[in-house]
Amino acid sequence: QVQLVESGGGLVQPGGSLKLSCVASGFSLTSYHMSWYRQSPGQERESVAHIDSTSNNMRYYAQMKDRFTISRDNAKNVVYLQMNSLEVEDTAVYYCAAHSVEHSNWHSLPWRTADYRGQGIQVTVSS
């Protein structure tokens, strides 16, 4: 069964850290660019970070750039999102997605064109 499954979410206090994982099964991530997105209540889904298939290039969006780190371990078929200095505004459902390397512009791939998508995991930042 082909799927992406996120884990590592939960409740954390402002200033805290969480590390999300996205494990792929049924296919190899080697040939896919990977992305994290998030969606807050009442808001549109937005990009958080992208990493290309080679792991050599990453892109972060807006205020996440200095606090979040995207990485991947193709041998383990997993992508990570390390989130530090979390803020209340980071509260959202976080999703991972895979785009095949046939997609150009790895750094700005939209959710709607993903080949595979995770179900999402809740991250709540609150005191």
Side-chain angles (χ1 to χ4, degrees):
Q1 182 179 3
V2 174
Q3 60 179 354
L4 291 171
V5 178
E6 301 95 339
S7 63
L11 174 64
V12 64
Q13 293 185 342
S17 298
L18 283 175
K19 186 174 184 178
L20 304 183
S21 299
C22 171
V23 179
S25 58
F27 70 105
S28 172
L29 291 183
T30 303
S31 299
Y32 290 83
H33 307 308
M34 297 301 297
S35 304
W36 285 96
Y37 304 84
R38 70 183 186 184
Q39 187 168 21
S40 303
Q43 303 295 319
E44 293 186 356
R45 186 176 282 113
E46 63 177 350
S47 292
V48 173
H50 301 279
I51 185 168
D52 74 348
S53 61
T54 69
S55 303
N56 291 331
N57 298 289
M58 289 79 76
R59 179 177 179 179
Y60 302 92
Y61 282 78
Q63 67 274 21
M64 281 78 82
K65 182 177 181 180
D66 297 324
R67 301 185 294 119
F68 292 6
T69 302
I70 187 171
S71 61
R72 61 192 294 165
D73 186 336
N74 285 347
K76 295 182 178 180
N77 231 26
V78 62
V79 178
Y80 304 102
L81 184 68
Q82 176 68 48
M83 305 186 293
N84 300 325
S85 302
L86 283 162
E87 304 169 354
V88 173
E89 292 74 21
D90 295 317
T91 296
V93 177
Y94 285 71
Y95 303 85
C96 66
H99 291 80
S100 75
V101 295
E102 295 177 355
H103 290 269
S104 58
N105 299 324
W106 62 269
H107 48 79
S108 58
L109 294 169
W111 169 262
R112 59 180 174 81
T113 63
D115 295 285
Y116 304 112
R117 305 177 184 88
Q119 291 300 307
I121 191 161
Q122 179 69 46
V123 171
T124 302
V125 185
S126 175
S127 57

